[in-house]
Amino acid sequence: MVKETEMRIGELAQRTGVTPRALRYYEQQGLLAPERAANGYREYGALDGVRAANIRELLSAGLTAEDIRPALEQGCLDVPLRERAGCADALRTATDRLAALDERIAALHGLRDRLAHHIDEVRSAEPPRPAVLAAGSARSVRAGEAGQAASVSEGRP
């Protein structure tokens, strides 16, 4: 199959803003299938550029390569996403992914609330610290603490 515009990975990366490493990952995941030149270099066409940009956008939106594969197979990624009404299956996958995220967020909010409640309970159960009534007694408390610190550092009880 002859592609409209032959370009190598660096040029495709520059045109689409997708890194060469990401392009190789898309190929590894079966989302892109570049031709190989006689020298083994990957050769991409214009359609690969459109698909790569669409794949990058969908991955950054939170979909997985597995989520994207059916849309690719149905031709949903052959034109820029903004120029085409979404394919029904792709839209259903995105909607399901969003619902799953909402469930996880709700669970995390519940966990956060329980942890905050626990912290409040622990704080309210702490015994109050003794208040120093007079300046003289504050000095004696500090002197006593200093004596204890010296005893501990010297190994004495």
Side-chain angles (χ1 to χ4, degrees):
M1 171 166 119
V2 176
K3 298 193 179 211
E4 300 172 16
T5 308
E6 297 291 333
M7 63 189 119
R8 287 193 270 181
I9 196 166
E11 185 179 350
L12 182 65
Q14 187 175 21
R15 286 186 182 191
T16 62
V18 178
T19 66
R21 183 175 178 171
L23 291 169
R24 288 189 289 272
Y25 172 77
Y26 299 168
E27 181 182 0
Q28 180 186 32
Q29 295 300 309
L31 300 174
L32 287 179
E35 301 286 325
R36 293 288 183 154
N39 61 6
Y41 289 169
R42 293 171 176 86
E43 292 184 339
Y44 298 91
L47 181 58
D48 293 316
V50 172
R51 287 178 176 171
N54 288 338
I55 291 165
R56 181 193 64 208
E57 185 173 340
L58 294 172
L59 288 172
S60 70
L63 296 177
T64 65
E66 201 171 303
D67 293 335
I68 295 168
R69 194 168 290 107
L72 178 68
E73 292 166 357
Q74 294 170 13
C76 298
L77 304 182
D78 292 349
V79 296
L81 294 175
R82 304 284 184 265
E83 295 177 13
R84 176 188 189 128
C87 293
D89 288 343
L91 186 57
R92 187 172 22 266
T93 299
T95 303
D96 291 347
R97 180 71 59 189
L98 182 60
L101 283 172
D102 287 340
E103 288 175 15
R104 289 174 59 192
I105 289 168
L108 286 171
H109 277 295
L111 181 61
R112 186 209 175 280
D113 292 345
R114 288 190 302 277
L115 182 57
H117 179 72
H118 172 73
I119 290 169
D120 290 342
E121 285 181 340
V122 169
R123 282 186 179 150
S124 66
E126 285 181 0
R129 294 186 177 151
V132 177
L133 301 176
S137 60
R139 277 183 284 230
S140 64
V141 168
R142 279 191 221 110
E145 290 172 352
Q148 285 178 332
S151 298
V152 171
S153 66
E154 294 170 3
R156 293 182 295 163

